[in-house]
Amino acid sequence: MSSTDSTISVKPRGEGNAPPPYGRAVRGEFLLDPDFLIVNHGSFGAAPRSVLAAQDEWRRQLETSPTRFMNRVLTDALRHAAGRLAASMGASGDDLVFVDNATTGCNAVLRSLDLGPGDEILVTDHTYPAIRRTADYVAYRTGARVVVAEIPYPPRDAAAIVAAVAGALTPRTSLAILDHVTSPTALVMPLEALIAACRAVAATVLVDGAHAPGNIPLDLPALGTDWYVGNCHKWLMAPKGAGFLWASKPAQAAVHPATISLHYGEGFTPEFDWTGTRDPSACLAVTAALDFQDRLGGPALMQRNATLAQQAATLVAGRLGTESGTEPSLAAAMTTVRLPLAGPATQERALALAGRLLDDYRCDAPITAFAGALWLRLSAAAYNDIDDYAEVATRVAALLRSPA
Ligand SMILES: Cc1ncc(COP(=O)(O)O)c(C=O)c1O
């Protein structure tokens, strides 16, 4: 148990006042290779053994009686899982469908909308590249224009972010794509104020919440967005292949899956519940992932991870003699630290450094080029301890000392 844990008051459900174990005490519940120092939960998550066992059991049931499962069991099971997932985010299962991942969910929305010349799609310079490419593709196909709001990094405060986005909105903004937690810069965006600014110009809103479920508390209907896409395999620790799309009631009819199949025209949930024969076990195991989250304290786990991420940034920045890019009021379980490097701050250099850090120093942490600097992103997951970040600092310092 790390020194971090003693500073956090945690009341797990049904277990009196004993805090649930975190860090090394739960690492054995994951398959993670002990030869690697993994502080990159944000990229692909990691599913615990109990959740993978639940997924195996769903797959076993399917393969035991394929026709019966696909025709008699699957839809009800998916709707049950959707209901539980939605309830964990203050929503109704009728408004939530599973998709393979956040990219698929964003594609469903973007490629369904009736855009044309004169329409603008707002993104930011922090938008995840796959979603930016999808917006570019849709703009190319429809004649719409992609407008990029440039958000200063590190931002002074939430108002600086809102001002940057509001300044790029126009009466022609048809759709705004807003990240809830940004990937390169680990910012938790001031979503409510951003959505209000979008509404002021009558723009529809797609929130890319790939990093949000299990990372920050969510009340999807209260946000006032049209569509919200999330990943369950990251911070909810579900298996890969479990993402979701939530849509407000009025925004459901406009959206169809990126893959049209048997139930086209029958409504939001039937269309998405069947997009051709596929392995649904990851989505069905989301209920086991929600159980695991609950066992680890639910909101208390989120709070613990956010605190640990801040402590990690302070520690690593101190050891490298730089600063964190993360303002605590705009952060959750990920933080960034500037690398003390002169020379070009290019994405190629960032990728090369992260590759060497992984291969030569067995340390898994992404590095990004942003705003003229190179940034190390630190994730704090249930299985991480503060000691992990002391070791990260040692290995990154060694990397920076060694010639490329
Ligand atoms: C903000 C954001 N959006 C979308 C994605 C894409 O997620 P996926 O590859 O699971 O579709 C990511 C992945 O990290 C992300 O960080």
Side-chain angles (χ1 to χ4, degrees), residues 291-368:
D291 290 343
F292 186 79
Q293 283 267 332
D294 270 359
R295 181 157 77 71
L296 263 57
L301 172 64
M302 298 184 204
Q303 183 55 54
R304 177 268 180 192
N305 288 346
T307 304
L308 180 58
Q310 287 302 325
Q311 293 170 334
T314 304
L315 188 159
V316 176
R319 291 271 299 272
L320 297 180
T322 65
E323 72 281 343
S324 168
T326 305
E327 150 59 40
S329 66
L330 297 171
M334 298 192 296
T335 47
T336 64
V337 173
R338 187 174 63 76
L339 294 182
L341 285 174
T346 61
Q347 199 53 26
E348 293 68 32
R349 191 175 177 207
L351 286 175
L353 279 167
R356 284 180 55 218
L357 186 62
L358 183 64
D359 296 335
D360 301 345
Y361 296 87
R362 304 211 149 216
C363 176
D364 182 2
I367 298 173
T368 317

Side-chain angles (χ1 to χ4, degrees), residues 42-43 101-103 128 131 179 181 183 208 210-211 231 233-234:
S43 283
N101 49 49
T103 307
Y128 187 72
I131 310 309
D179 287 27
V181 184
S183 170
D208 175 359
H211 279 282
N231 268 333
H233 70 259
K234 291 182 191 277

Side-chain angles (χ1 to χ4, degrees), residues 3 5 83 144 220 233 251 287 326 395:
S3 55
D5 299 311
L220 299 186
H233 70 259
T287 55
T326 305
R395 295 190 196 188

Side-chain angles (χ1 to χ4, degrees), residues 169-176 195-205 226:
L169 288 165
T170 79
R172 291 177 302 283
T173 310
S174 193
L175 174 72
I195 292 171
C198 294
R199 293 305 185 203
V201 297
T204 56
V205 179
D226 296 287

